[in-house]
């Protein structure tokens, strides 16, 4: 590895020892781009990487809210404006009780390269709160969102920073956040948030975009291997918005999603979760119930439920970890390899531990695709939502879908080309990191050192 790259990784390890997720993602990205640094000594001269691993700005804020029983609560809000070299900061808000600076920073760093890969002018940002939405009433969620936006609204804007949803933040939360922004500022700036409802500036296909995009990307990979998506079996995780989108598209394309997971275990449905509209709709019912249990699916449709287990031991054609970070560990990776699975397509942000990812990438014949490419369709369609908002136009679902498909083909193609340029062969992980990095690096260099 390039010695400058190694020194920056070491620096991040020391400085962020208490933020393992951030260290993990920096290590993953920087080791991939090592050959680019070899080829561009001017990057080391400008100490570009040290600047890239430091957010431009990251702040916390107090979020105070009152529950239905009249009890007051204080949570911490975060926004990390990681890199604005290629466009306004853009990235979701995560409301989950495990949120702390290391999670927000890792997601903001990933987002910078992901957003670059979309080919659209969006910088990287992320935010959220350690607020736990589980079991909260509608009114509590609304009060929390209003308080959150009251603290954040001065620091965002359509040309500054455009938040969106992530775990725990869906259409409902975006609505409350947007309403409060409008109330405070007294302006209709619908480009300030994405993932909005269709009645007030949301884009058609945004809810499906991450899952659809992942399936379009998978199609590109299969095309490269001379295979067809029809009839392929897929193991997914979670039962949230992304997995729902994958199931919907799998249904259109004749592929079969056979597993879902939750904190309680996983279900195996050999006929396919994606096989009927009723089953696909039930994912939304489970999500809205707030019970956070996948066993409900097994009870309703009479399929196997495996308590306390993850679905990575199931024999399928394609693995798509689509739930959360660090979901696939070394023991699972070994199982996946032993099952002879060829396609390992990451969907959630950093779903694989670094050692497991390394192991999978070394398996002969196995194709590994990285989440920052595979899930980029979500934020990509957010950028299309921003375009529609600034043009004061509404595109049809077909127009958005055609753009999304083109975007995913393009992300796959530029990743392949970037890896080939550095003699790495069909290496989608390195290719995505290199392609995402190149544009941000170039923009930063051209804008001078700051
Ligand atoms: N949270 C999603 C992501 O990780 C969406 C972000 C956005 O639409 O800005 O890409």
């Amino acid at each position: 590895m390039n010695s400058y790259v190694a020194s920056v990784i070491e620096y991040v390890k020391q400085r962020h020892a208490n933020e393992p997720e951030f260290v993990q993602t920096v290590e993953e990205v920087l080791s991939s781009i090592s050959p680019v640094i070899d080829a561009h000594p001017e990057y080391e001269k400008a100490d570009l990487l040290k600047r890239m691993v430091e957010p431009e700005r990251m702040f916390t804020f107090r979020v105070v809210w009152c529950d239905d029983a009249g009890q007051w609560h204080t949570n911490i809000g975060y926004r990390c404006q990681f890199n604005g070299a290629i466009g306004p900061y853009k990235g979701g808000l995560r409301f989950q009780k495990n949120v702390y600076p290391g999670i927000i920073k890792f997601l903001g760093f990933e987002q910078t390269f992901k957003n670059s890969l979309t080919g659209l002018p969006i910088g990287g940002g992320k935010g959220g709160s350690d607020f736990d939405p589980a079991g909260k009433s509608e009114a509590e969620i609304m009060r929390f969102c209003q308080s959150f936006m009251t603290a954040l609204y001065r620091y965002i804007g359509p040309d500054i920073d455009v938040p969106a949803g992530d775990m725990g933040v869906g259409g409902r939360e975006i609505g409350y956040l947007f309403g409060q922004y409008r109330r405070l500022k007294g302006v209709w700036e619908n480009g300030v948030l994405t993932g909005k409802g269709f009645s007030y500036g949301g884009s058609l296909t945004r809810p499906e975009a991450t899952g659809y995009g992942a399936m379009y990307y998978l199609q590109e990979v299969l095309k490269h291997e001379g295979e067809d998506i029809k009839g392929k079996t897929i193991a997914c995780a979670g039962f949230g918005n992304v997995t729902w989108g994958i199931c919907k598209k799998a249904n259109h394309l004749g592929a079969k999603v056979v597993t879902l997971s939750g904190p309680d275990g996983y279900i195996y449905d050999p006929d396919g979760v994606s096989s009927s509209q009723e089953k696909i709709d039930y994912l939304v019912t489970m999500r809205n119930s707030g019970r956070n249990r996948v066993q409900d699916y097994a009870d309703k449709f009479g399929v196997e439920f495996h308590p306390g287990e993850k679905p990575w031991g199931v024999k399928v054609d394609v693995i798509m970890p689509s739930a959360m970070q660090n979901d696939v560990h070394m023991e699972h990776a070994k199982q996946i390899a032993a099952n002879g699975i060829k396609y390992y397509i990451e969907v959630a942000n950093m779903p694989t531990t670094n050692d497991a990812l390394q192991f999978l990438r070394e398996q002969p014949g196995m194709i590994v695709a990285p989440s920052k490419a595979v899930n980029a369709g979500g934020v990509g369609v957010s950028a299309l939502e921003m375009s529609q908002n600034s043009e004061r136009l509404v595109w049809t679902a077909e127009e958005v879908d055609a753009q999304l498909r083109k975007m995913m083909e393009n992300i796959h193609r530029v990743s392949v080309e970037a890896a080939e340029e550095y003699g790495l062969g069909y290496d989608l992980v390195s290719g995505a990191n290199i392609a995402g990095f190149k544009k941000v690096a170039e923009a930063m260099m051209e804008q001078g050192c700051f």
Side-chain angles (χ1 to χ4, degrees):
M1 187 190 299
N2 176 286
S3 62
Y4 172 56
V5 171
S7 76
V8 177
I9 293 176
E10 202 42 49
Y11 160 82
V12 171
K13 276 187 178 161
Q14 305 270 326
R15 221 171 112 70
H16 300 275
N18 55 351
E19 297 175 334
E21 297 86 355
F22 182 56
V23 172
Q24 192 177 327
T25 188
V26 166
E27 207 170 359
E28 196 258 311
V29 173
L30 294 199
S31 32
S32 282
I33 55 120
S34 184
V36 188
I37 301 298
D38 286 337
H40 289 271
E42 71 276 19
Y43 290 169
E44 179 176 356
K45 234 170 139 197
D47 199 14
L48 185 73
L49 295 184
K50 277 258 191 66
R51 272 184 279 147
M52 262 193 180
V53 297
E54 190 62 39
E56 286 183 21
R57 192 172 301 101
M58 178 159 169
F59 47 90
T60 67
F61 43 93
R62 186 169 67 202
V63 188
V64 182
W65 58 282
C66 188
D67 69 22
D68 292 343
Q71 182 78 39
W72 289 93
H73 300 267
T74 304
N75 285 96
I76 309 171
Y78 298 91
R79 189 70 186 164
C80 175
Q81 300 178 333
F82 214 111
N83 194 311
I86 66 169
Y89 311 108
K90 180 88 198 82
L93 299 171
R94 178 174 292 193
F95 292 172
Q96 209 171 42
K97 62 172 183 275
N98 68 356
V99 162
Y100 82 106
I103 296 254
I104 300 296
K105 224 174 274 168
F106 118 67
L107 290 166
F109 187 73
E110 279 284 288
Q111 198 84 43
T112 301
F113 302 99
K114 179 200 311 196
N115 292 3
S116 164
L117 273 175
T118 65
L120 296 167
I122 40 177
K126 204 82 192 192
S129 173
D130 59 357
F131 172 75
D132 181 9
K136 302 292 186 296
S137 74
E138 190 79 25
E140 288 170 336
I141 299 275
M142 189 196 296
R143 286 195 294 276
F144 179 81
C145 289
Q146 290 175 338
S147 184
F148 186 93
M149 186 51 89
T150 303
L152 183 64
Y153 84 98
R154 289 170 207 280
Y155 309 106
I156 60 174
D159 292 320
I160 302 170
D161 181 358
V162 183
D166 197 83
M167 291 179 191
V169 179
R172 173 181 65 173
E173 289 75 14
I174 293 293
Y176 297 149
L177 292 163
F178 180 75
Q180 184 71 353
Y181 183 87
R182 192 168 72 78
R183 173 154 75 151
L184 290 165
K185 287 206 76 173
V187 288
W188 181 268
E189 287 178 352
N190 57 356
V192 68
L193 289 170
T194 61
K196 298 182 295 292
F198 306 127
S199 57
Y200 63 98
S203 174
L204 290 166
T205 314
R206 177 64 189 90
E208 292 88 351
T210 309
Y212 280 19
M215 291 299 279
Y216 292 151
Y217 187 97
L218 172 63
Q219 273 189 300
E220 291 308 299
V221 174
L222 293 170
K223 212 187 292 167
H224 182 270
E225 297 302 296
E227 291 195 50
D228 192 356
I229 198 158
K230 218 178 160 110
K232 290 274 181 295
T233 51
I234 304 175
C236 275
F239 53 87
N241 168 264
V242 176
T243 301
W244 167 78
I246 291 174
C247 288
K248 265 183 99 164
K249 189 47 77 181
N251 176 284
H252 301 166
L253 299 174
K256 224 166 30 172
V257 174
V258 293
T259 66
L260 300 173
S261 67
D264 52 335
Y266 82 90
I267 65 98
Y268 175 63
D269 182 348
D271 295 335
V273 177
S274 48
S275 63
S276 78
Q277 197 56 43
E278 189 195 358
K279 287 179 173 178
I280 297 171
D281 289 346
Y282 193 66
L283 266 58
V284 180
T285 310
M286 282 200 291
R287 199 170 355 129
N288 292 344
S289 78
R291 287 159 57 83
N292 210 11
R293 271 163 49 113
V294 78
Q295 191 184 351
D296 292 356
Y297 182 98
D299 293 345
K300 181 159 172 73
F301 297 108
V303 301
E304 283 173 29
F305 171 62
H306 299 262
E309 281 181 53
K310 292 181 188 280
W312 312 131
V314 175
K315 281 197 181 167
V316 284
D317 298 310
V318 185
I319 298 264
M320 293 180 99
S322 46
M324 59 186 171
Q325 68 269 10
N326 291 334
D327 202 15
V328 181
H329 296 239
M330 196 55 162
E331 81 239 41
H332 308 123
K334 286 190 173 145
Q335 182 75 58
I336 291 166
N339 283 343
I341 293 168
K342 179 171 177 192
Y343 299 101
Y344 184 79
I345 311 291
E346 289 190 329
V347 189
N349 293 311
M350 204 170 70
T352 324
T353 59
N354 275 3
D355 57 340
L357 186 64
Q358 199 49 41
F359 173 84
L360 291 168
R361 289 177 69 187
E362 282 161 12
Q363 296 310 303
M366 186 173 298
I367 292 179
V368 176
S371 54
K372 68 170 68 64
V374 178
N375 75 26
V379 73
V381 171
S382 276
L384 302 181
E385 182 174 334
M386 290 162 70
S387 301
Q388 294 170 72
N389 292 162
S390 61
E391 289 180 354
R392 302 258 189 268
L393 285 176
V394 177
W395 300 354
T396 63
E398 290 71 29
E399 284 170 314
V400 178
D401 193 51
Q403 293 274 344
L404 171 62
R405 185 185 277 271
K406 231 172 40 200
M407 196 185 310
M408 299 314 297
E409 284 169 9
N410 203 41
I411 290 172
H412 177 263
R413 187 177 46 76
V414 298
S415 302
V416 172
E417 287 169 1
E420 273 168 8
E421 186 186 338
Y422 287 91
L424 300 168
Y426 190 58
D427 179 346
L428 297 170
V429 176
S430 299
N433 283 325
I434 292 172
F437 171 81
K438 273 169 89 172
K439 187 172 161 193
V440 179
E442 212 175 287
M444 286 176 79
M445 291 297 282
E446 288 181 16
Q447 290 173 36
C449 295
F450 68 91

